[in-house]
Amino acid sequence: AEQPTAALLTNNGPHWRAAHVEFQRRIAFPAACLVFALLGVPMGVRPRRGGRAAALILTLILTGGYYFLFVAGDHMAAQGRFSPWLGVWGANIVGTIAGLFFLRRVENIRRPGRVVVWLESLWFRLKARDKADLAAASASVSNGPLSLPQSRAFGLRHAFRANRAMGFPMLIDVYLLQQFFYYFLVLLAGFVLIFDAFTLFELLADIARNHIPALTVVNYFRYLIPLMIYQLAPLATLVSTLVTLAILAKNNEVIALKASGVSLYRLVLPLLLAGCLVSGGMFLLDDTFLPYANQRQDALRNRIKGRPAQTYFEPAQQWIFGENAKIYNYELFDSDRQLFGGLSVFELDPATFQMRRRVFATRATWEPTESTWVLTGGWVRDFGPDGRVVSYEPFKATSLPELTEPPGYFRREVRQYYQMNWRQLGEYIASLRQAGFDTARFSVQWQKKFAFPLIAAVIVFLAAPFAFLVGTRGAVGGLALAVGIGVVYWSAAALFEALGSVGQLPPLIAGWGPDAIFGFLGLYFFLRMPT
């Protein structure tokens, strides 16, 4: 990457493939501007519902898809599966073909989908039945009353419609929910796609260095997507609420609703229910599938990174291969404090796999000046070739020269509490507390198991007033405001979590503090809206 272009062309040594891939990349990536211009013309000139919001969502999808194809092709070209030209230019080729396809259809009139046609036919049938009921009612005035079943069915239907005049759901509720979930799903998919592309770009060097199969990488992203959905769902809820209401205000539909006697409080009700549904879905995901998905993606990421193999089925009891035929088992590993809790080390005979020594320590602390582990409250047991105990030595504090693995050897990128649901985490905290370990960090995370999903519903209160304020700017203003609110929330959540982890705040306040602050602010601005 640091060589001039002329040197890349003349490189015929052992690294010729990397040089040719870099040369093609220097041409293909700037050429993507032309590809996106070709894609932008047919996408931009066709009228679509949603205006700039739909264009923005489409941009996220196209950009994420292009980066994903570009990074994947670049990686396959570097591995030798494709030629450098085909691998690097593959994303541009696909984008050009798609652009020409849409450009050819730019003047065609789209036919409505089958679902739309079916809904329209159903609507017309209901309208026809209403007209028949009204005709029968008018005929009963001159020709006598209707029969009892006919009059009862007619009365129930019209009483139901009368009660729904200001009840729930009204037609405007269905319209708002449709808009909200449309933006929510598309934005969430766009966010996940972009994060996947950049994560793949980050892991490319490790994938090539450790010769990771493509199926392993696909499985890693398959198990990573649930965590991304869980983390990004509140942001997608915030943006969807702002964009939905901002477009409503920009098109003066809010004025029409207020003139019809519909309060803004009533208008926000379906979005609040949608936020509650998202919160419930997040909590259910975290309680069921997400811990297992985090365990799997943690194990696959360690494999991609070339880290030692370890178990993931029981987050409270970790097993990991060490150096020189050693196996480590521990209940707790705190990478910040460089501390083990409930550590057992099994030394094996590499020829017979029989146990030669077992070391146990209630605590093990890394001493950086001596580059060794200081073990406290444990024992060392040696075994002979026949499996019998040869010696047994208890100790209060000691260090063993054979324990050479530094803390970085055991450090993992996925935190342990993500691999447990709230019940498992509660039991884990109780066992650690009984053993005398500091559980402040885990207690904060236990509170966040409930507090974080709820922010999707709380944030609707905060989004609604600001959405009406930026209504003249439409979806772009709503998106800009959503980014600002999201940054403030995640900064506050990180600050409260850090203070709670070191014991400066009680776990309850550290976990629920951001929700409480944003909830009170949202309620304050929500009640001050000119309804």
Side-chain angles (χ1 to χ4, degrees):
E2 299 174 358
Q3 295 180 5
T5 305
L8 297 175
L9 287 173
T10 57
N11 190 333
N12 295 318
H15 302 291
W16 70 270
R17 179 174 292 277
H20 283 228
V21 170
E22 175 64 24
F23 172 75
Q24 297 294 342
R25 187 189 298 123
R26 292 184 185 182
I27 303 175
F29 199 71
C33 300
L34 300 176
V35 176
F36 277 106
L38 182 62
L39 284 169
V41 171
M43 297 296 177
V45 300
R46 298 195 68 170
R48 65 174 44 83
R49 197 172 183 179
R52 284 180 289 182
L56 177 65
I57 294 170
L58 194 59
T59 300
L60 290 174
I61 295 175
L62 289 175
T63 307
Y66 174 82
Y67 271 95
F68 188 84
L69 291 176
F70 185 83
V71 169
D74 183 271
H75 170 63
M76 292 183 178
Q79 285 191 328
R81 299 183 181 182
F82 294 148
S83 66
W85 182 89
L86 181 61
V88 177
W89 283 87
N92 289 358
I93 293 173
V94 173
T96 302
I97 293 174
L100 292 174
F101 174 77
F102 289 118
L103 189 65
R104 181 176 175 272
R105 295 166 55 90
V106 71
E107 294 183 354
N108 295 344
I109 299 176
R110 288 181 293 179
R111 296 180 179 179
R114 295 181 179 179
V115 177
V116 176
V117 173
W118 180 80
L119 290 175
E120 287 181 351
S121 63
L122 180 63
W123 173 257
F124 286 131
R125 286 198 300 269
L126 291 175
K127 295 271 290 184
R129 190 176 67 178
D130 290 344
K131 290 180 180 179
D133 290 342
L134 290 174
S138 60
S140 67
V141 177
S142 56
N143 300 331
L146 294 170
S147 65
L148 183 59
Q150 290 176 330
S151 60
R152 183 173 296 172
F154 176 79
L156 285 175
R157 280 198 298 270
H158 281 269
F160 179 69
R161 294 192 186 98
N163 290 332
R164 286 184 59 187
M166 286 302 292
F168 184 86
M170 295 192 302
L171 189 60
I172 186 64
D173 299 323
V174 177
Y175 171 72
L176 286 175
L177 288 174
Q178 179 185 5
Q179 292 294 101
F180 172 85
F181 281 110
Y182 167 74
Y183 291 124
F184 175 80
L185 294 175
V186 175
L187 280 169
L188 187 60
F191 292 155
V192 169
L193 189 61
I194 290 175
F195 271 83
D196 277 349
F198 281 100
T199 304
L200 179 62
F201 187 77
E202 174 195 353
L203 296 176
L204 270 181
D206 297 309
I207 294 171
R209 181 174 58 252
N210 298 317
H211 305 287
I212 304 300
L215 184 60
T216 302
V217 179
V218 171
N219 284 330
Y220 167 70
F221 281 99
R222 180 163 66 95
Y223 289 111
L224 181 65
I225 286 176
L227 177 62
M228 290 186 172
I229 292 175
Y230 180 79
Q231 294 285 351
L232 297 172
L235 181 61
T237 302
L238 174 63
V239 178
S240 303
T241 302
L242 286 166
V243 170
T244 299
L245 294 179
I247 292 177
L248 209 67
K250 182 182 179 181
N251 296 334
N252 296 323
E253 293 171 292
V254 174
I255 297 176
L257 290 167
K258 291 168 71 173
S260 302
V262 179
S263 169
L264 293 186
Y265 297 153
R266 175 61 183 79
L267 189 63
V268 177
L269 177 61
L271 299 183
L272 180 60
L273 294 178
C276 293
L277 287 176
V278 174
S279 296
M282 290 174 60
F283 181 79
L284 188 63
L285 177 65
D286 185 46
D287 190 47
T288 54
F289 181 70
L290 186 59
Y292 171 75
N294 286 337
Q295 294 169 18
R296 289 291 299 154
Q297 66 99 359
D298 186 17
L300 292 171
R301 187 179 182 90
N302 285 335
R303 182 179 175 186
I304 292 173
K305 287 287 187 178
R307 297 195 178 100
Q310 63 186 61
T311 60
Y312 55 87
F313 291 109
E314 292 291 339
Q317 289 286 342
Q318 295 287 325
W319 296 80
I320 180 172
F321 276 113
E323 298 173 346
N324 301 322
K326 293 194 300 291
I327 299 177
Y328 286 78
N329 171 248
Y330 54 89
E331 296 181 11
L332 170 68
F333 175 65
D334 191 333
S335 58
D336 295 334
R337 297 182 176 90
Q338 298 182 346
L339 169 71
F340 273 115
L343 175 66
S344 292
V345 184
F346 302 88
E347 296 185 27
L348 306 179
D349 187 340
T352 62
F353 295 100
Q354 288 184 336
M355 190 183 305
R356 296 189 302 191
R357 169 178 282 193
R358 179 182 175 184
V359 180
F360 173 78
T362 55
R363 290 174 182 264
T365 308
W366 178 255
E367 181 57 47
T369 57
E370 301 294 335
S371 297
T372 186
W373 289 99
V374 178
L375 311 178
T376 58
W379 43 261
V380 178
R381 182 179 283 127
D382 292 310
F383 299 88
D386 57 353
R388 295 182 180 182
V389 178
V390 176
S391 65
Y392 173 79
E393 298 180 7
F395 59 81
K396 292 184 178 179
T398 188
S399 61
L400 299 175
E402 64 264 25
L403 305 184
T404 57
E405 294 84 354
Y409 186 88
F410 306 96
R411 188 171 290 117
R412 301 179 304 156
E413 297 185 17
V414 174
R415 287 161 285 184
Q416 199 167 359
Y417 42 79
Y418 279 167
Q419 299 182 348
M420 294 180 274
N421 59 28
W422 65 274
R423 299 182 193 86
Q424 296 169 338
L425 184 57
E427 295 172 358
Y428 184 49
I429 292 172
S431 64
L432 292 180
R433 188 179 292 128
Q434 186 176 3
F437 291 102
D438 181 16
T439 60
R441 173 175 300 179
F442 294 103
S443 298
V444 172
Q445 295 301 324
W446 189 86
Q447 298 291 341
K448 290 189 67 175
K449 291 283 186 181
F450 302 91
F452 184 73
L454 190 62
I455 193 61
V458 170
I459 212 163
V460 174
F461 277 110
L462 190 62
F466 289 103
F468 295 123
L469 290 177
V470 300
T472 56
R473 298 173 180 87
V476 176
L479 179 63
L481 185 63
V483 171
I485 295 176
V487 169
V488 173
Y489 171 76
W490 265 281
S491 301
L495 176 62
F496 274 74
E497 180 180 346
L499 292 175
S501 299
V502 296
Q504 297 297 318
L505 285 176
L508 182 66
I509 297 178
W512 289 91
D515 287 42
I517 293 174
F518 275 72
F520 281 121
L521 287 175
L523 191 62
Y524 171 77
F525 289 113
F526 187 76
L527 294 177
R528 289 178 61 88
M529 281 193 310
T531 66

